[in-house]
Amino acid sequence: MTGGTKRQKEMRKALRLLLPRVPMRDAEAILAAALAGHLRHLPPSIALWQATTSHVRHERTDYDTLLEDGYDRDAARFFVLEDMNSVLQDWGCNKQVSDAPDG
C-alpha cells in the first residue's frame, strides 16, 4: 500500500493515525470505501471516519441481523453502539461513535 495519488497517500496516513492496530483486511476495506467516488468531496479525515464506522457497523456487529429482524435503523444503531466502540478501541482509535444523530 504505497504510492498512488496525493489523496490516496493522505488517506493511508490518516488511517494509520486513526486506527494504528486495525487488521490489514479491515484497513484495506476501509481505505477502499473512503476512496469511493461518493466521498471524494469530503476531507480525507471525514471520509475515512465515515468509511470506518460503516465498515465496523456492517462487518463487526449484528447491525444487519437486527435490521433483518425488523429493527429500524436508529434502534439497530443504538444496539450495536457499544460493540462498535469496543472494536474501535481494540484498533487503537481515540474516537468513539456516539448515539447522537450525527455520531
Side-chain angles (χ1 to χ4, degrees):
M1 288 189 355
T2 61
T5 67
K6 180 180 177 187
R7 183 163 176 88
Q8 289 169 334
K9 291 175 185 176
E10 289 173 352
M11 287 283 193
R12 284 194 299 273
K13 182 179 179 181
L15 179 69
R16 286 189 302 273
L17 292 172
L18 180 66
L19 306 169
R21 295 190 304 264
V22 64
M24 182 62 74
R25 180 182 67 99
D26 294 292
E28 290 172 346
I30 291 167
L31 185 60
L35 290 167
H38 69 283
L39 297 179
R40 72 177 171 268
H41 68 284
L42 298 173
S45 61
I46 294 173
L48 187 63
W49 181 244
Q50 286 190 356
T52 298
T53 57
S54 179
H55 177 80
V56 171
R57 182 178 295 117
H58 291 282
E59 300 298 324
R60 296 295 187 126
T61 72
D62 293 330
Y63 177 75
D64 293 317
T65 302
L66 291 170
L67 293 177
E68 291 169 8
D69 288 346
Y71 287 86
D72 68 34
R73 189 177 136 244
D74 290 335
R77 286 180 178 220
F78 173 80
F79 286 116
V80 301
L81 188 67
E82 192 173 312
D83 292 337
M84 288 182 68
N85 285 326
S86 178
V87 169
L88 292 169
Q89 184 177 20
D90 289 346
W91 291 352
C93 185
N94 291 324
K95 291 180 76 170
Q96 290 195 329
V97 180
S98 73
D99 58 1
D102 63 349

